[in-house]
């Protein structure tokens, strides 16, 4: 069956070409999938906590029916400090290697130096290193598209 004329395995043209879906869409899709998974996890945890009850002797409360609706608000632009961070990370990216110019440990050290040399909100922002670590992980998986300043 596999060696039959016209089979995918005997076809000399190779594998079919992909549609070339923009990577931005893949990144947005991954974000939404992760967000839905997070919502479900939070809702499950919330319902379990309501079933357990409070202090000793208190009656347990039945689980509240799961909500079937929600609203997701999305900003059109990143905050200035995050945009500045992404722009800095872009300068650390090597397109030829499709990776950062240095290892991740050194990049984190450079990020701390960049933050300390900043003159604005970025210098005192506590979320800075968390964002840097997250984006570094995303860039390692998805490439340069994870460093985009466009939403």
């Amino acid at each position: 069956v596999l060696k039959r004329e016209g089979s995918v395995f005997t076809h000399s043209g190779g594998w079919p070409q992909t549609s070339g879906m923009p990577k931005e869409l893949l990144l947005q899709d991954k974000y939404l999938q992760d967000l839905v998974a997070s919502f479900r996890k939070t809702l499950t945890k919330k319902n379990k906590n309501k079933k357990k009850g409070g202090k000793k002797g208190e009656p347990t409360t039945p689980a509240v029916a799961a909500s079937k609706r929600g609203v997701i608000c999305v900003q059109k632009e990143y905050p200035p400090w995050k945009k500045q961070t992404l722009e800095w990370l872009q300068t650390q990216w090597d397109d030829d290697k499709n990776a950062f110019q240095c290892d991740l440990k050194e990049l984190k050290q450079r990020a701390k130096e960049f933050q300390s040399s900043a003159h604005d909100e970025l210098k005192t922002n506590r979320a800075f290193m968390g964002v840097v670590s997250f984006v570094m992980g995303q860039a390692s998986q998805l490439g340069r598209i994870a460093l985009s300043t466009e939403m």
Side-chain angles (χ1 to χ4, degrees):
V1 172
L2 297 178
K3 294 184 179 183
R4 184 184 303 163
E5 186 62 36
S7 169
V8 173
F9 294 102
T10 62
H11 182 60
S12 62
W15 291 99
Q17 296 295 321
T18 61
S19 65
M21 184 181 296
K23 289 186 178 182
E24 292 89 357
L25 290 178
L26 296 174
L27 188 60
Q28 291 169 354
D29 178 60
K30 181 179 179 345
Y31 174 77
L32 289 175
Q33 286 179 0
D34 292 347
L35 191 62
V36 168
S38 172
F39 286 164
R40 287 181 178 155
K41 186 176 179 180
T42 302
L43 186 60
T44 301
K45 186 176 179 181
K46 190 174 185 180
N47 284 338
K48 281 183 181 179
N49 287 342
K50 288 189 178 196
K51 285 181 185 179
K52 288 183 182 178
K55 297 178 184 176
K56 223 178 191 181
E58 286 185 15
T60 59
T61 57
V64 178
S67 178
K68 294 183 181 182
R69 294 183 183 193
V71 177
I72 300 173
C73 298
V74 180
Q75 293 177 316
K76 291 185 178 187
E77 294 182 359
Y78 286 116
W81 71 268
K82 191 178 272 188
K83 192 170 185 177
Q84 186 180 3
T85 302
L86 290 168
E87 288 168 350
W88 178 80
L89 283 169
Q90 287 174 2
T91 66
Q92 305 300 307
W93 187 260
D94 185 352
D95 286 321
D96 294 333
K97 293 191 310 186
N98 198 30
F100 286 107
Q101 298 168 0
C102 57
D103 67 344
L104 299 182
K105 189 174 182 179
E106 184 180 339
L107 186 61
K108 284 185 179 183
Q109 185 60 38
R110 288 182 185 181
K112 288 178 185 177
E113 292 168 7
F114 171 71
Q115 184 183 23
S116 65
S117 68
H119 300 292
D120 54 3
E121 176 187 1
L122 185 64
K123 190 170 190 167
T124 58
N125 195 314
R126 292 183 179 198
F128 173 78
M129 284 308 293
V131 168
V132 168
S133 295
F134 176 77
V135 172
M136 285 169 45
Q138 291 291 311
S140 297
Q141 291 176 352
L142 302 170
R144 185 178 186 85
I145 192 65
L147 307 174
S148 175
T149 57
E150 305 278 323
M151 289 183 117

